């Protein structure tokens, strides 16, 4: 048994260095929930709930996640019977949705379990890489020229553009003015409808790495219809909330690439299952990010150390978003790569002083 003694929840708010803009909204101060699991020997594991303040990405918000964790998920689990982090996904399977709340709770257990086993999280889940390739996201408010110059110096190996509807070509051209060789993808977050298929087909001429999530989440049919007409790979993001979704997307040929986000699919257990399935089907995958703190990013680094992750993920340096991160040392990018920690658990210490400073509300559950 994992001998969990307590679960601590902290609702925090961290100021971004600059606003992060997408067509769906702007993030200025990032609300997050930090989940801490403590065992009877005092070891601590940390996870993070990365839902946004409003339901523009998924139906979940930080506030709904707090309510579900506090009033349903944590009180429901028979903690004395938890022997492995994946037990949480089984215990909570009867509750529909709320993947990000579940993922944050499970993540704390993965960190703690790895520390109990004296293994790095990467080693525990079967990661083999010592370094992972990194990609970066350019928001609508970024100064493209200034940002690209800095990112090229740091060696980022994939550039994702947040774009406005019907203005993709201008954004792509603006980037290409600085470099014709940059590996570019665009993320349209489900903005389009069936009537827009002819327009989307025109984007095939821009030699993109991929087009991410053209249509609304769950619409495998329209994605299939578009992919059948494009040479450019379609990547699914919001549509993939489970292994079953990934299986359906691949079998219907609705995409050629899948973005795996631990929080969006309900936790590391489901993320690993999707990774294993996509390897069998030879479907490329990459690890997506959520404008998260270093705690969640550390879990992403471990996941991206698996062999199946063949495309650079959203694993940028801590200073991309934060003046000060929650982890010590912070995540750094060198020559386009991030080192995979070898210390037990997520491999980073928690900056407890700063965590306390950014905490708005906290709650402790004694569970054993």
């Amino acid at each position: 048994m994992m001998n969990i003694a307590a679960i601590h929840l902290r609702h925090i708010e961290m100021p971004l260095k600059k606003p992060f803009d997408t067509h769906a909204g702007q993030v200025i101060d990032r609300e997050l929930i930090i989940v801490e699991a403590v065992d009877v020997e005092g070891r601590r594991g940390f996870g993070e709930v990365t839902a946004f303040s409003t339901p523009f990405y998924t139906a979940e918000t930080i506030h709904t996640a707090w309510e579900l964790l506090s009033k349903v998920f944590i009180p429901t689990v028979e903690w004395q019977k938890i022997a492995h982090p994946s037990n949480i996904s089984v215990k909570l399977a009867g509750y529909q949705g709320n993947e990000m709340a579940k993922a944050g709770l499970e993540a704390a257990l993965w960190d703690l379990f790895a520390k109990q086993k004296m293994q790095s999280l990467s080693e525990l889940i079967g990661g083999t890489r010592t370094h992972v390739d990194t990609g970066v996201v350019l928001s609508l408010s970024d100064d493209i020229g200034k940002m690209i110059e800095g990112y090229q110096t740091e060696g980022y190996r994939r550039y994702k553009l947040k774009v406005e509807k019907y203005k993709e070509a201008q954004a792509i051209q603006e980037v290409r003015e600085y470099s014709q060789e940059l590996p570019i993808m665009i993320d349209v977050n489900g903005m389009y409808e069936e009537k827009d298929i002819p327009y989307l087909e025109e984007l095939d001429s821009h030699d993109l790495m991929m087009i991410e999530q053209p249509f609304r989440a769950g619409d495998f049919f329209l994605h299939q219809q578009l992919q059948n007409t494009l040479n450019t790979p379609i990547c699914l993001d919001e549509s993939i909330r489970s292994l079953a979704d990934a299986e359906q997307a691949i079998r219907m040929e609705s995409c050629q690439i899948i973005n795996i986000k631990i929080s969006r699919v309900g936790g590391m257990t489901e993320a690993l299952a999707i990774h294993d399935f996509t390897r069998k089907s030879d479907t490329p995958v990459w690890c997506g990010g959520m404008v998260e703190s270093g705690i969640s990013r550390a879990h992403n680094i471990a996941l991206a150390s698996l062999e199946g992750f063949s495309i650079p993920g959203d694993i940028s340096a801590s200073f991309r978003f934060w003046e000060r991160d929650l982890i010590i040392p912070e995540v750094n990018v060198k020559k386009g790569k991030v080192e995979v920690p070898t210390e037990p658990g997520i491999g980073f210490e928690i900056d407890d002083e700063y965590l306390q400073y950014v905490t708005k509300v906290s709650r402790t559950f004694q569970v054993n």
Side-chain angles (χ1 to χ4, degrees):
M1 296 298 110
M2 289 188 65
N3 297 317
I4 308 298
I7 304 291
H8 302 289
L9 298 182
R10 296 177 178 89
H11 179 183
I12 72 168
E13 188 171 297
M14 292 174 64
L16 287 164
K17 290 173 71 174
K18 62 187 297 297
F20 186 84
D21 290 290
T22 73
H23 81 279
Q26 182 183 74
V27 181
I28 299 174
D29 295 310
R30 184 66 164 108
E31 291 186 276
L32 298 161
I33 297 171
I34 304 303
V35 184
E36 178 185 357
V38 183
D39 70 11
V40 294
E41 295 185 23
R43 287 171 293 211
R44 308 159 71 202
F46 289 86
E48 180 174 326
V49 178
T50 63
F52 289 102
S53 303
T54 59
F56 71 84
Y57 176 69
T58 68
E60 277 186 273
T61 69
I62 282 295
H63 310 287
T64 62
W66 182 272
E67 289 294 301
L68 266 292
L69 285 166
S70 301
K71 297 180 180 179
V72 182
F73 295 166
I74 295 173
T76 295
V77 173
E78 297 177 278
W79 291 97
Q80 70 277 10
K81 296 182 180 180
I82 298 297
H84 189 274
S86 61
N87 295 160
I88 287 291
S89 61
V90 175
K91 298 290 186 183
L92 300 180
Y95 297 105
Q96 298 300 309
N98 298 283
E99 287 86 2
M100 294 185 182
K102 294 174 182 177
L105 185 58
E106 189 193 77
L109 297 193
W110 277 104
D111 182 25
L112 178 60
F113 189 70
K115 289 169 179 171
Q116 291 175 341
K117 297 296 183 182
M118 292 301 294
Q119 291 180 292
S120 70
L121 181 56
S122 168
E123 180 185 8
L124 179 67
I125 64 174
T128 57
R129 295 191 173 104
T130 59
H131 294 77
V132 298
D133 289 338
T134 60
V136 71
V137 183
L138 295 166
S139 89
L140 293 176
S141 59
D142 282 337
D143 180 327
I144 297 295
K146 180 180 179 181
M147 301 301 280
I148 286 180
E149 182 178 354
Y151 293 148
Q152 284 186 288
T153 300
E154 294 165 50
Y156 282 100
R157 301 177 181 221
R158 190 227 67 212
Y159 294 76
K160 179 162 80 172
L161 307 183
K162 293 290 187 179
V163 292
E164 293 182 81
K165 194 172 186 178
Y166 303 134
K167 295 183 179 180
E168 292 85 355
Q170 297 96 305
I172 295 165
Q173 182 58 36
E174 189 175 358
V175 173
R176 291 260 161 81
E177 287 177 2
Y178 293 94
S179 173
Q180 291 292 322
E181 307 302 323
L182 286 183
I184 301 171
M185 60 173 288
I186 60 172
D187 181 6
V188 296
N189 291 117
M191 287 190 290
Y192 288 98
E193 303 171 51
E194 185 172 8
K195 64 183 178 64
D196 296 306
I197 287 179
Y199 171 78
L200 292 168
E201 289 173 341
E202 295 176 8
L203 298 178
D204 223 4
S205 64
H206 291 285
D207 194 27
L208 298 167
M209 291 180 69
M210 67 189 88
I211 299 172
E212 188 175 10
Q213 195 68 43
F215 304 112
R216 67 176 179 82
D219 196 333
F220 296 106
F221 174 74
L222 283 185
H223 284 106
Q224 177 199 62
Q225 297 304 296
L226 180 61
Q227 185 65 91
N228 285 342
T229 69
L230 292 182
N231 291 318
T232 304
I234 289 175
C235 171
L236 289 184
D237 177 2
E238 291 96 324
S239 288
I240 308 301
R241 295 170 55 189
S242 65
L243 172 60
D245 288 338
E247 291 174 341
Q248 183 172 192
I250 291 168
R251 288 170 177 161
M252 288 184 65
E253 299 182 347
S254 300
C255 65
Q256 294 180 17
I257 299 171
I258 285 178
N259 167 352
I260 301 179
K261 289 180 180 172
I262 297 172
S263 59
R264 193 194 65 240
V265 304
M268 181 70 81
T269 300
E270 196 77 357
L272 294 175
I274 295 170
H275 165 269
D276 293 346
F277 177 77
T278 54
R279 287 206 76 185
K280 292 176 183 176
S281 62
D282 293 322
T283 303
V285 297
W286 55 281
C287 182
M290 289 286 293
V291 191
E292 63 255 295
S293 86
I295 292 173
S296 183
R297 193 156 308 195
H299 287 269
N300 291 346
I301 292 169
L303 181 65
S305 73
L306 295 169
E307 281 299 318
F309 286 85
S310 57
I311 299 171
D314 292 335
I315 305 176
S316 51
S318 290
F319 68 77
R320 163 74 175 92
F321 293 120
W322 318 114
E323 294 288 354
R324 181 176 177 180
D325 206 343
L326 294 178
I327 56 171
I328 302 171
E330 296 188 348
V331 175
N332 290 302
V333 173
K334 296 181 180 178
K335 297 182 179 179
K337 292 180 178 288
V338 166
E339 185 175 0
V340 179
T342 57
E343 294 79 8
I346 59 174
F348 296 87
E349 296 297 323
I350 303 302
D351 187 339
D352 286 306
E353 179 185 32
Y354 190 53
L355 177 58
Q356 181 61 36
Y357 177 77
V358 296
T359 295
K360 298 173 63 179
V361 181
S362 63
R363 185 169 179 186
T364 294
F365 300 82
Q366 301 296 334
V367 297
N368 194 344

